[in-house]
Amino acid sequence: MEYDEKAKAEEEQNDEDHDTITLTFEDGTEEECLVLDFVEVDGKTYVSLLPMSYEEDEEEEGCYLYQFDEAEDGEPILGYIEDDAVLKKVMDAFAELFMEEPEYVISEDDL
Protein backbone atom coordinates (compact mmCIF):
# COMPACT_ATOMS: atom_id res chain seq x y z
CA MET A 1 0.00 0.00 0.00
CA GLU A 2 2.84 2.39 0.77
CA TYR A 3 4.10 2.15 -2.83
CA ASP A 4 0.65 2.99 -4.25
CA GLU A 5 0.42 6.15 -2.15
CA LYS A 6 3.93 7.22 -3.16
CA ALA A 7 3.22 6.58 -6.86
CA LYS A 8 -0.01 8.58 -6.64
CA ALA A 9 1.78 11.50 -4.98
CA GLU A 10 4.51 11.46 -7.64
CA GLU A 11 1.91 11.35 -10.40
CA GLU A 12 0.11 14.37 -8.93
CA GLN A 13 3.43 16.22 -8.67
CA ASN A 14 4.24 15.40 -12.31
CA ASP A 15 0.83 16.73 -13.40
CA GLU A 16 1.55 20.03 -11.62
CA ASP A 17 4.98 20.34 -13.27
CA HIS A 18 3.62 20.41 -16.83
CA ASP A 19 3.15 23.63 -18.75
CA THR A 20 -0.21 24.31 -20.35
CA ILE A 21 -1.32 26.22 -23.41
CA THR A 22 -4.88 27.36 -24.10
CA LEU A 23 -5.83 26.89 -27.74
CA THR A 24 -8.46 29.16 -29.28
CA PHE A 25 -10.09 27.66 -32.36
CA GLU A 26 -11.61 29.51 -35.33
CA ASP A 27 -15.13 29.01 -33.95
CA GLY A 28 -14.12 30.75 -30.70
CA THR A 29 -14.02 27.63 -28.53
CA GLU A 30 -11.06 27.15 -26.24
CA GLU A 31 -9.22 24.05 -25.06
CA GLU A 32 -6.60 23.97 -22.31
CA CYS A 33 -3.84 21.50 -23.16
CA LEU A 34 -0.84 19.98 -21.42
CA VAL A 35 2.45 20.49 -23.23
CA LEU A 36 3.69 16.91 -23.59
CA ASP A 37 7.01 17.43 -25.35
CA PHE A 38 8.92 19.04 -28.20
CA VAL A 39 10.79 17.54 -31.15
CA GLU A 40 12.96 19.08 -33.82
CA VAL A 41 12.44 17.98 -37.42
CA ASP A 42 14.34 19.48 -40.35
CA GLY A 43 15.47 22.44 -38.24
CA LYS A 44 12.00 23.38 -36.96
CA THR A 45 10.49 22.77 -33.53
CA TYR A 46 7.15 21.01 -33.04
CA VAL A 47 5.03 20.58 -29.93
CA SER A 48 2.66 17.84 -28.84
CA LEU A 49 -0.37 18.99 -26.82
CA LEU A 50 -2.83 16.81 -24.90
CA PRO A 51 -6.26 18.33 -24.15
CA MET A 52 -6.97 18.48 -20.42
CA SER A 53 -10.40 17.01 -21.21
CA TYR A 54 -8.81 13.88 -22.77
CA GLU A 55 -9.96 10.56 -21.36
CA GLU A 56 -8.10 7.33 -22.07
CA ASP A 57 -11.20 5.47 -23.17
CA GLU A 58 -11.94 7.93 -26.00
CA GLU A 59 -11.69 6.53 -29.52
CA GLU A 60 -9.80 9.55 -30.88
CA GLU A 61 -6.10 9.95 -30.21
CA GLY A 62 -6.69 13.34 -28.63
CA CYS A 63 -3.20 14.79 -29.21
CA TYR A 64 -2.55 17.99 -31.20
CA LEU A 65 0.69 18.63 -33.11
CA TYR A 66 1.80 22.14 -34.04
CA GLN A 67 4.88 23.89 -35.33
CA PHE A 68 6.25 25.86 -32.36
CA ASP A 69 8.06 29.15 -32.07
CA GLU A 70 8.27 31.90 -29.45
CA ALA A 71 7.65 35.60 -29.85
CA GLU A 72 10.19 38.07 -28.47
CA ASP A 73 8.06 38.41 -25.33
CA GLY A 74 8.19 34.64 -24.78
CA GLU A 75 4.61 33.97 -25.85
CA PRO A 76 4.21 30.73 -27.83
CA ILE A 77 3.43 30.93 -31.54
CA LEU A 78 1.74 27.82 -32.92
CA GLY A 79 1.42 27.06 -36.61
CA TYR A 80 -0.48 24.41 -38.50
CA ILE A 81 1.51 21.63 -40.16
CA GLU A 82 0.11 21.86 -43.67
CA ASP A 83 2.52 19.58 -45.56
CA ASP A 84 1.53 15.91 -45.24
CA ALA A 85 5.13 14.72 -45.64
CA VAL A 86 6.29 17.01 -42.82
CA LEU A 87 3.35 15.92 -40.68
CA LYS A 88 4.34 12.28 -41.14
CA LYS A 89 7.94 13.05 -40.11
CA VAL A 90 6.69 14.91 -37.02
CA MET A 91 4.31 12.09 -36.09
CA ASP A 92 7.11 9.55 -36.49
CA ALA A 93 9.46 11.66 -34.34
CA PHE A 94 6.88 11.91 -31.54
CA ALA A 95 6.04 8.20 -31.81
CA GLU A 96 9.72 7.36 -31.40
CA LEU A 97 10.05 9.77 -28.48
CA PHE A 98 6.98 8.44 -26.66
CA MET A 99 8.00 4.82 -27.22
CA GLU A 100 11.26 5.28 -25.31
CA GLU A 101 11.26 3.72 -21.85
CA PRO A 102 10.50 6.39 -19.24
CA GLU A 103 13.27 7.22 -16.78
CA TYR A 104 10.95 6.65 -13.81
CA VAL A 105 10.37 2.96 -14.53
CA ILE A 106 11.08 0.94 -11.41
CA SER A 107 13.40 -2.00 -11.83
CA GLU A 108 12.94 -5.29 -10.01
CA ASP A 109 16.01 -4.44 -7.90
CA ASP A 110 14.19 -1.38 -6.52
CA LEU A 111 11.25 -3.43 -5.22
Side-chain angles (χ1 to χ4, degrees), residues 49-95:
L49 305 173
L50 181 68
M52 299 286 279
S53 62
Y54 174 78
E55 296 191 20
E56 289 187 33
D57 60 345
E58 290 183 10
E59 289 182 25
E60 294 182 21
E61 291 295 316
C63 186
Y64 299 118
L65 302 177
Y66 287 97
Q67 184 174 334
F68 179 85
D69 204 351
E70 282 188 15
E72 287 183 20
D73 63 1
E75 286 294 311
I77 300 171
L78 303 179
Y80 292 113
I81 305 170
E82 296 179 8
D83 184 308
D84 288 341
V86 172
L87 179 59
K88 178 160 180 16
K89 286 182 181 180
V90 170
M91 290 172 62
D92 289 345
F94 276 113

Side-chain angles (χ1 to χ4, degrees), residues 1-109:
M1 274 313 221
E2 185 177 316
Y3 171 75
D4 290 339
E5 291 174 11
K6 183 178 179 183
K8 184 177 179 181
E10 287 176 1
E11 183 177 311
E12 289 174 2
Q13 178 66 35
N14 288 339
D15 287 345
E16 293 172 8
D17 291 343
H18 284 85
D19 291 329
T20 62
I21 290 179
T22 301
L23 300 176
T24 304
F25 298 103
E26 291 177 0
D27 65 359
T29 60
E30 292 185 345
E31 178 111 46
E32 187 174 4
C33 299
L34 287 173
V35 176
L36 294 179
D37 218 331
F38 298 87
V39 295
E40 190 168 316
V41 174
D42 296 336
K44 294 183 181 179
T45 303
Y46 297 90
V47 63
S48 175
L49 305 173
L50 181 68
M52 299 286 279
S53 62
Y54 174 78
E55 296 191 20
E56 289 187 33
D57 60 345
E58 290 183 10
E59 289 182 25
E60 294 182 21
E61 291 295 316
C63 186
Y64 299 118
L65 302 177
Y66 287 97
Q67 184 174 334
F68 179 85
D69 204 351
E70 282 188 15
E72 287 183 20
D73 63 1
E75 286 294 311
I77 300 171
L78 303 179
Y80 292 113
I81 305 170
E82 296 179 8
D83 184 308
D84 288 341
V86 172
L87 179 59
K88 178 160 180 16
K89 286 182 181 180
V90 170
M91 290 172 62
D92 289 345
F94 276 113
E96 185 176 320
L97 177 70
F98 293 144
M99 296 305 279
E100 291 178 1
E101 187 172 315
E103 293 177 13
Y104 58 85
V105 172
I106 298 172
S107 70
E108 289 181 25
D109 296 337

